[in-house]
Amino acid sequence: MDVYEAVRTRWSVRNFTNRPVPREALERVISAAAWAPSGSNMQPWHVYVVSGASLAEIRKLAGERVAAHDPWDNPESEMYPATLKSPYSERKAAFGAQRYGALGIARGDLEARQRAASANWNFFGAPAALFCYIDRGMGPPQWADVGMYLQTVMLLLRAEGLHSCPQMAWSVYHNTVAKVLSPPDGLILYCGMSIGYQDITVPSERTGRAPLDETVKFVK
Ligand SMILES: Cc1cc2nc3c(=O)[nH]c(=O)nc-3n(C[C@H](O)[C@H](O)[C@H](O)COP(=O)(O)O)c2cc1C
């Protein structure tokens, strides 16, 4: 697959079929993604590729917590700054409006939004997932390295006919994920990622982007 096509067709899929993901495809993707760049080649990502019984266990434990209205775990990192200024707050709101509007959920219906967001804990139906940790001592440049790594994974997944949805949501249930994966001390769960084949019978729309001149300047 051409790189442009991989970028164009990568988007956050939130409806997967239960078609199993071949282990070899995941191995090819993970082997190739190891070539993602990082400052001083530190490769600060710690990755768990999960499927089968372990994925089922995480899904079950998270589902039980949701059903019990169990509060979220103490955050290990902030998902977003406490106050978002313009234009970020507007972009975030526009995303919410598009995502929940497409599901027919009214703007003020927080309960319905939460119900829709709880599909995160079911990995949106995906049969495979990845969890990505970073060492607590790492700073913003290394977090950026991890982002580059994850994007590399997501583009390579496209080359295998697979889709993905990165999920910071899992960071609020990091204790549940840790119960199954037993990561070493000192790691922070940055995000999960659902991986699988898109259920194309469910209509969905690609999220838009800000006009380029809002985010980029070509300078001569
Ligand atoms: C680091 C990261 C974490 C994300 N976490 C979630 C999440 O927890 N749940 C979710 O549904 N989408 C999540 N997303 C998907 C974003 O909402 C999505 O990337 C954005 O709206 C742009 O849409 P697109 O990926 O479909 O192009 C996350 C994306 C990134 C990059």
Side-chain angles (χ1 to χ4, degrees):
M1 178 186 281
D2 169 69
V3 180
Y4 281 92
E5 192 186 347
V7 171
R8 195 169 39 75
T9 60
R10 186 231 49 91
W11 57 287
S12 297
V13 162
R14 297 184 179 89
N15 292 288
F16 292 92
T17 67
N18 59 7
R19 179 179 159 196
V21 175
R23 164 106 187 201
E24 312 77 64
L26 291 174
E27 284 176 356
R28 275 192 297 272
V29 165
I30 292 299
S31 305
W35 292 98
S38 57
S40 290
N41 201 23
M42 289 205 296
Q43 304 156 70
W45 43 83
H46 296 256
V47 177
Y48 293 78
V49 181
V50 188
S51 57
S54 298
L55 188 80
E57 182 67 4
I58 295 173
R59 184 179 259 143
K60 177 176 132 293
L61 294 175
E64 285 169 1
R65 288 189 65 173
V66 174
H69 301 290
D70 202 355
W72 291 351
D73 297 328
N74 283 334
E76 298 181 297
S77 60
E78 290 305 325
M79 258 195 227
Y80 302 104
T83 49
L84 274 185
K85 59 183 186 182
S86 186
Y88 314 109
S89 53
E90 291 88 341
R91 289 185 195 151
K92 187 165 180 283
F95 162 68
Q98 182 182 346
R99 166 140 159 66
Y100 297 109
L103 297 172
I105 298 171
R107 199 187 150 89
D109 193 346
L110 291 185
E111 208 184 303
R113 276 188 174 216
Q114 257 165 13
R115 254 199 322 275
S118 73
N120 271 291
W121 319 125
N122 187 35
F123 298 97
F124 303 106
L130 167 159
F131 287 93
C132 188
Y133 288 82
I134 184 167
D135 207 286
R136 196 175 298 279
M138 292 298 176
Q142 289 74 48
W143 284 73
D145 291 342
V146 171
M148 282 185 244
Y149 172 82
L150 292 170
Q151 170 72 335
T152 305
V153 168
M154 291 189 284
L155 295 181
L156 288 164
L157 287 169
R158 289 304 303 121
E160 298 285 349
L162 289 157
H163 273 98
S164 58
C165 184
Q167 296 174 271
M168 267 195 297
W170 280 104
S171 66
V172 306
Y173 281 164
H174 58 87
N175 286 335
T176 294
V177 179
K179 206 178 254 178
V180 178
L181 301 183
S182 307
D185 285 346
L187 297 186
I188 296 177
L189 178 58
Y190 171 38
C191 72
M193 183 190 293
S194 296
I195 297 172
Y197 295 95
Q198 182 186 2
D199 182 351
I200 53 168
T201 64
V202 180
S204 36
E205 213 179 277
R206 199 176 180 208
T207 310
R209 291 295 187 268
L212 266 195
D213 61 3
E214 273 188 30
T215 55
V216 182
K217 297 214 175 354
F218 287 89
V219 183
K220 280 207 277 193

